[in-house]
Amino acid sequence: MPQERILVVDDEEPVRAVAAALLATSGYTVNTAESAEDALTRLQQDPDYDLVLSDIMMPGTDGLTFLDHLCTDHPRIPVVMFSAINDIYVVTSAFRRGAIDYLLKPFERAELESVVLRAIEHGRLRKQNSTYRHNLEAIVNTRTGRLRSTMLDLERSYDITLEAMGDALDLRDQETEGHSRRVTAYTNTLAHAMGLNSEELRVIARGAFLHDIGKIATPDAILLKPGRLTAEEMAIMKEHCERGYEMVRKISFLRDAAEIVYAHQEQFDGNGYPRGLRGEEIPLGARIFAIADTLDAMTSDRPYRKGTSFAKARDEISRCAGTQFDPQIVEVFLSIPPETWSDLRAATEMQTPAPSPFRGN
């Protein structure tokens, strides 16, 4: 087992010699320094000491100032101060500035050994605590990284499930096949242009993709009816907003997205459904989605009509600013070049398998 190393600092050579001899007899490896400056130079070159014993009254840099340097530059090394001065103010100041113990000169061998033994044990425990904290931080960082990776994997698995749900709805209603992915891509582009952060983009993407999920509960006779719906059938169709909300809100990581599902048919002037929300009562994601949804609906072919151009859809959305749509969001929409939307639609439809609506947001 390696011997503990002690540095004795005193401007009086006899004191250094006596202290060094006594400590060497007790089995310690001892080095000495005649001044604080000399000691600081030694420590800078070789800081591997288990204890520093320092006098207080020294020419040049005094012991208390030396103690300040030690506590700043070598905080792991315990320090014992010794002096011929029995002054409670000096003793208190030494302890407050970081000394482990205080020893009066002249000292006896037993007294010196006892103080040194306590100080070295204190230093050993301090080093153990520092090592433990360092190892604990490393363990926490490693486990945090693993947890983050696990959460990302879990989030990906959730999104895969959501994609399957949306695709199932598209397969059920072939007239709107691909609608969920296109409208999510449009919503993402518009939300990004508004400067929303990545977490907000993820929430809005999920809400946009699942906006019509409540139609899973809509009877085929109504959902797939080729002609105009009756008033009773329309009332049932409108229930899909609340049905979708009730389905999605039960999933903890989709609670915010559920609000978009619930409000995606609301209109800025309060004439939408199911709650007749007005203005900023409508969640921001739903207000963004409303424009994207109309854009896709107008530019997509239906059995009863052919889709219009993106330029005409853009004009119609502009005309409905302040009534159906939030005028501030419409302003952002109009700042985006029209060809962006047609390029985005083409990119979405050309990729096989279809790109995930959630990745990269």
Side-chain angles (χ1 to χ4, degrees), residues 122-142:
H122 181 93
R124 185 183 66 81
L125 293 175
R126 182 187 289 179
K127 288 179 181 178
Q128 284 184 348
N129 183 55
S130 177
T131 300
Y132 171 78
R133 289 173 58 187
H134 176 77
N135 292 339
L136 182 61
E137 288 175 3
I139 291 171
V140 169
N141 289 336
T142 298

Side-chain angles (χ1 to χ4, degrees), residues 13-208:
E13 194 280 332
V15 175
R16 296 198 304 273
V18 170
L22 292 176
L23 293 171
T25 302
S26 299
Y28 299 108
T29 298
V30 185
N31 290 318
T32 63
E34 63 183 12
S35 66
E37 292 82 3
D38 182 25
L40 288 171
T41 300
R42 285 174 176 268
L43 288 167
Q44 187 176 13
Q45 296 170 350
D46 178 15
D48 191 21
Y49 282 91
D50 299 288
L51 175 64
V52 171
L53 288 170
S54 175
D55 189 20
I56 289 181
M57 302 300 295
M58 294 186 293
T61 301
D62 64 75
L64 293 178
T65 303
F66 173 53
L67 174 62
D68 292 337
H69 285 296
L70 287 175
C71 291
T72 300
D73 299 334
H74 307 281
R76 291 189 179 186
I77 303 177
V79 183
V80 171
M81 308 301 294
F82 57 83
S83 176
I85 299 176
N86 188 9
D87 185 328
I88 188 63
Y89 173 80
V90 175
V91 175
T92 302
S93 180
F95 280 114
R96 284 179 176 174
R97 293 162 87 156
I100 298 301
D101 214 329
Y102 190 93
L103 190 61
L104 283 174
K105 295 189 295 185
F107 42 75
E108 298 180 356
R109 175 177 178 176
E111 186 180 11
L112 177 64
E113 288 182 342
S114 177
V115 169
V116 167
L117 188 63
R118 287 199 307 270
I120 287 179
E121 177 64 12
H122 181 93
R124 185 183 66 81
L125 293 175
R126 182 187 289 179
K127 288 179 181 178
Q128 284 184 348
N129 183 55
S130 177
T131 300
Y132 171 78
R133 289 173 58 187
H134 176 77
N135 292 339
L136 182 61
E137 288 175 3
I139 291 171
V140 169
N141 289 336
T142 298
R143 293 185 177 178
T144 299
R146 290 175 182 171
L147 178 60
R148 187 177 293 113
S149 177
T150 300
M151 292 300 292
L152 287 173
D153 289 342
L154 183 60
E155 187 172 342
R156 290 190 194 100
S157 70
Y158 283 153
D159 287 340
I160 290 171
T161 302
L162 298 186
E163 290 174 43
M165 292 169 66
D167 290 343
L169 181 61
D170 279 351
L171 288 173
R172 185 166 179 239
D173 185 5
Q174 294 185 358
E175 285 189 12
T176 59
E177 184 176 359
H179 168 68
S180 295
R181 290 181 181 274
R182 291 193 304 272
V183 79
T184 301
Y186 297 158
T187 302
N188 280 346
T189 299
L190 184 50
H192 190 273
M194 293 180 63
L196 274 62
N197 62 44
S198 58
E199 179 57 30
E200 291 170 323
L201 290 172
R202 276 193 290 271
V203 169
I204 290 174
R206 288 167 178 160

